[in-house]
Structures are given as C-alpha cells and as structure tokens.
Amino acid sequence: MKRYSRLIALLIILVFLLTSCNADSKTPTLIVEDYNGIDIDRINRYEIEVELDTEKKTYSAYQKVTYVNNTGTVLDEVYFHLYPNAYKELETAPILFNEDIMSKGYVPGYIEIEEIKVKGEKAEYAIQGKGDTILRINLNEPLKEDEELKIELKYKGKLPINIDRFGYGENVFNFGNWYPIACAFDETGWNLDPYYSLGDPFYSDIANYDVKITVPEEVIVASSGNIIKEKKDKNKKTYYIEGKLIRDFAWVASENFLVTESYAGDTLVKLYALENDESAAKIAMDAGVKSIELFNSLFGKYPYGVYSIAITEFPTGMEYPGIVFINKEYYNKNYKEYLEQVIVHETAHQWWYGVVGNDQIDEAWIDESLATYSEVIYIHNIYGEGAGKNYYRYYCELPYEYTIKNISTDGVIVKPLKDFNSWDEYGLLVYTKGAMFINSIKEDFGMDTLYEILNEYYSRYRFHFGTTEDFIKVCEEITGSNFQDRINKWIYGNKDGGG
C-alpha cells in the first residue's frame, strides 16, 4: 500500500473490448530461461478452482497445494495464512481509508474452511492467531526434508464492503490476499505474523499457480499470471490462468472493464479500465510500458510474459505479482503526474518485492525504498537529470524535512511493523528516508554505480529473498567502500541523523 494521498477526481478511460472467449493465449507465461538456481518443479504449487457469486458477494473454492519441504528441517505441521478473516470486524480490518465504509455501514468478510485433506485423508487442523488468520494443519507423519505432500482445502469466502485489497465497491471486486497461502519458514522458524493494519504485511515464497476462475459471463477478470484461455458455458465464463515463479496470486473482476494492450519488450501490458478516456489511457499505458522497458535495461529483465494494470476502487496503489491495483481517481488527464507516479512505483515493485522478495514485516524498507527511488530513476531517464533532481527534492527531501519535525520517531528504518508508531512514521522512514539513503549512494558514487548495484542485487536474488545485510554487502562489493557509517546514519540512526 502506498503513501500517495487520496485525490478527488473521476475515472475515465479508453479501451476496446476483450478479445473473444475460448481463444487460447499465445503469450508465454515466462520469458526467461534462467531461474537463478530454482528448480521450477520443486517449489510449492497451488491449483485453485474458485467461483464468484457477484450477487451474494461470496466465493467458493477447492484448492490443492503440492507443498515441498524446502525448510531444511523435518515438519510435523504446516501453516497457512487466512488473511480474509482480518475483515471480520471493521476495527481490525487492514483498511487504509475507511471513512466511506463507516458512513455506509460495514459489511464484514471472512474465509471459512469446510474440509482439509492431507494425502487424501481428512486432516486435523486448528485456526489460531490474532483474528483467526493462521491455519495450522497437523501431519499424520513427519514430512522430511525435500519431501512433498498434497494438501486439499475446500473453503468459502465472503467479501467485505471495502475498496481496499480485499472486498467489493460499486464496480469492482478486489481479490488480494484471498486464499490460504503457506506461511514462510526461515532461520527463525515459521513466520506467523498477523495481518497488520500498517504496511504490506506479507512474506511468501515463490510458487507455481494454476487457477480457474468462474464468473458470470458478463464479468471480466484481470489477474496475476497469464490468462491461457477463457471458456463459456451457459451463462458463466471460466478463466484458465497460469502463474509460474510468483509469490502470490491476486485478481480483480468487473462487468465494466475495458481492455487495451501494448508491448514493453517481450512483455504484454494489459490495461483494465472502467470508463473510456483516451488521454488517461495513454498516460497509464505509457507509464507502464516505459517503466518496464527502462527497468529491464537498468535492473534486469522482467521474467513474465504479461503485466496487468487494473484501475480499481483501491484508494491508492497496490502491487501484486504481475498485476497492480490503481486508484480510479488518479485515472484522469488532470492528474497525469499522480497517475504516472503511482504506476511507476507499483511497476518497480515487480522487481522489488515481486522477483526479489523480502520480509515485508520485519524489513519493509527494502522493497519500498527501492520502489520509491525507482520513481526518481524513471523521471531522471525519461524527463532529464534536472527533472530527476527536482522530483527527488519535492517528493523525498521536502516531505522528510517537514515531517521529521512533526512526528515522534526513533529514526530506525529496519524494525518490525508492530514497532512503528503510525502510518506517518512508517511512510517517513520506509519510503522517504530509505530513498534518501539510496540517493546518498548515487551522490557519493554516481548514478552508473547505483545502477550497477541494483542490477547485481536483482541478478543475485531473483526468485529468492534479499535482506538488509544482503543489499549492504552488494553495495560494499560494488563500491569497494565500508558502509558502516552510512548505515548508522540512514538505516539505524536517530531522527536527527538522517537529514
């Protein structure tokens, strides 16, 4: 979720109709052959069949997970996040702006597990954690290292009235963080964090997805991955979708979507709009195409064949693998700067979070700071060095100088989400101060050296997780300099140390 403020503007967009149903896509799902040491057949696989009831605002699903024990230890249980349960009550729902919802009356959401089988037999399980957002599945026999097992889940969900990641508004159904997803297991063990209301509290492994989404025939779906084909049956339509080497799977649905397409290198860019506005559509598509082409050349090649920009009722911008949710109020030629800015930021997240993962609960600064500074890089390259400097000054330095005087903060960027005082502190440190740290590298070593650092960091940690320590190590290797004083000032320093 991004730092951009809400703007008052109406959405208008250009497009033409989605191509005919039942036609198979010729677009490849992956456009790279180097998976950076990942055995694509030895990672978790999600096979999901889900049907949306647009009248009742509910969905039902059958999910089969081929879970591969890559944890390095023997497992007696496996854990999944049940994020939708955080929406059972408005007070605990992770909603950025809820004043409109409160005025209309909140309709809660949830996910209800109906049955779980492991290796074809009914399994014992427990729902636990804050807000019932953690699912523990007990295994009848230990799962050894490198072994795999089949886990089947039947569940139904209720969408809340909500214009955020998960929920419905007037025109769009948002399906972000909507299904049971395996918890990450690292050197600390299972990561069983709740769905925090602050930040993007997600930490998930690369996996493969095969998803079938059934909707009323008039509904159009945009999603992560690659829509392989569509099939109509009576008054329903099913989308067959393939996602490979992605960290999550999100989708949105609307009767009003209009779709236009363009290419950025080998990647098909699809823009899903709610109304017809040629000017806004050009701005949005240009921002998506130019940012992919630029980041391809500087950071490393985007590995996926499809990238979707969905204009929704989400209040700002939100990244998921292969798809981003963009606020419909930005979709207006009168707000060109904001529309371009948010699309560039969320597109940068396809590199920083999507391909190079990080623990967004304990080290949220990594992907957010890199995505924020990628905006500066974009402006620098598209509009010139002077424009880049002005952009950095206006969107990083000045907000930092103003905000640091008006909020309480210890100035420490690397800390868990639960330790941030507020959204204001989170935005100040995770987005702004972190981007200023990146800029300090550019100032002292030059833009070309910074590009070399980002390219190496991307190359080294593609499809894996990167940490603060990993990023600093790359910086020191490329520059030949010790970064201890620099990280003391910017990463771990007090509020007076980063100005």
Side-chain angles (χ1 to χ4, degrees), residues 33-100:
E33 296 180 354
D34 178 7
Y35 305 150
N36 199 22
I38 295 288
D39 183 343
I40 198 168
D41 296 318
R42 296 296 300 163
I43 57 177
N44 296 341
R45 180 183 178 189
Y46 294 80
E47 299 170 78
I48 308 175
E49 298 178 11
V50 57
E51 182 168 352
L52 170 64
D53 186 325
T54 55
E55 294 297 321
K56 296 180 180 179
K57 313 298 189 296
T58 61
Y59 60 99
S60 56
Y62 165 77
Q63 175 173 322
K64 181 167 70 174
V65 181
T66 302
Y67 183 85
V68 183
N69 185 2
N70 292 319
T71 66
T73 189
V74 177
L75 299 176
D76 295 313
E77 64 273 316
V78 177
Y79 291 88
F80 287 77
H81 292 285
L82 300 178
Y83 290 122
N85 281 341
Y87 294 90
K88 286 182 179 180
E89 298 179 2
L90 179 59
E91 291 73 20
T92 60
I95 301 171
L96 180 58
F97 300 112
N98 63 19
E99 59 268 23
D100 290 341

Side-chain angles (χ1 to χ4, degrees), residues 113 115-118 121-123 125 135 137 151-153:
I113 302 296
E115 184 180 64
I116 297 178
K117 292 182 179 180
V118 175
E121 298 182 357
K122 285 189 176 181
Y125 63 91
L135 168 67
I137 302 175
I151 302 172
E152 298 172 85
L153 306 99

Side-chain angles (χ1 to χ4, degrees), residues 6 95 97 100-101 104 160-170 174 312-316:
R6 297 184 74 182
I95 301 171
F97 300 112
D100 290 341
I101 295 173
K104 296 176 182 177
I161 183 170
N162 176 23
I163 56 173
D164 219 82
R165 300 182 183 105
F166 175 72
Y168 67 92
E170 293 181 3
N174 286 353
T312 80
E313 294 172 348
F314 186 84
T316 55

Side-chain angles (χ1 to χ4, degrees), residues 414-441:
V414 183
K415 57 186 177 184
L417 292 181
K418 64 182 178 62
D419 291 343
F420 285 93
N421 297 324
S422 63
W423 268 104
D424 286 339
E425 187 196 26
Y426 178 82
L428 175 76
L429 300 180
V430 168
Y431 291 87
T432 310
K433 190 178 180 185
M436 294 174 73
F437 163 65
I438 304 299
N439 188 72
S440 77
I441 300 172

Side-chain angles (χ1 to χ4, degrees), residues 222-280:
S223 75
S224 297
N226 182 16
I227 297 175
I228 302 300
K229 66 178 179 179
E230 303 166 31
K231 184 178 180 181
K232 285 186 177 180
D233 183 15
K234 298 180 180 178
N235 61 344
K236 295 182 180 181
K237 178 170 52 178
T238 299
Y239 289 80
Y240 294 76
I241 307 167
E242 178 182 69
K244 293 183 178 179
L245 295 175
I246 57 178
R247 298 188 184 280
D248 202 349
F249 186 94
W251 56 289
V252 294
S254 176
E255 295 181 15
N256 300 326
F257 274 147
L258 302 167
V259 186
T260 188
E261 300 177 351
S262 186
Y263 272 91
D266 297 323
T267 298
L268 175 65
V269 181
K270 302 175 76 172
L271 175 65
Y272 292 79
L274 295 173
E275 293 183 19
N276 189 339
D277 184 321
E278 184 174 357
S279 296

Side-chain angles (χ1 to χ4, degrees), residues 299-352:
F299 305 155
K301 186 170 183 177
Y302 184 63
Y304 311 114
V306 181
Y307 174 58
S308 296
I309 301 169
I311 307 301
T312 80
E313 294 172 348
F314 186 84
T316 55
M318 182 65 205
E319 74 280 2
Y320 289 101
I323 187 171
V324 294
F325 300 175
I326 304 298
N327 180 9
K328 71 176 184 179
E329 293 181 355
Y330 294 144
Y331 199 82
N332 186 301
K333 65 182 180 181
N334 296 321
Y335 296 98
K336 173 186 182 300
E337 182 176 345
Y338 293 101
L339 177 60
E340 183 177 29
Q341 178 184 8
V342 71
I343 290 176
V344 170
H345 182 100
E346 306 310 336
T347 304
H349 270 304
Q350 300 303 307
W351 279 258
W352 319 123

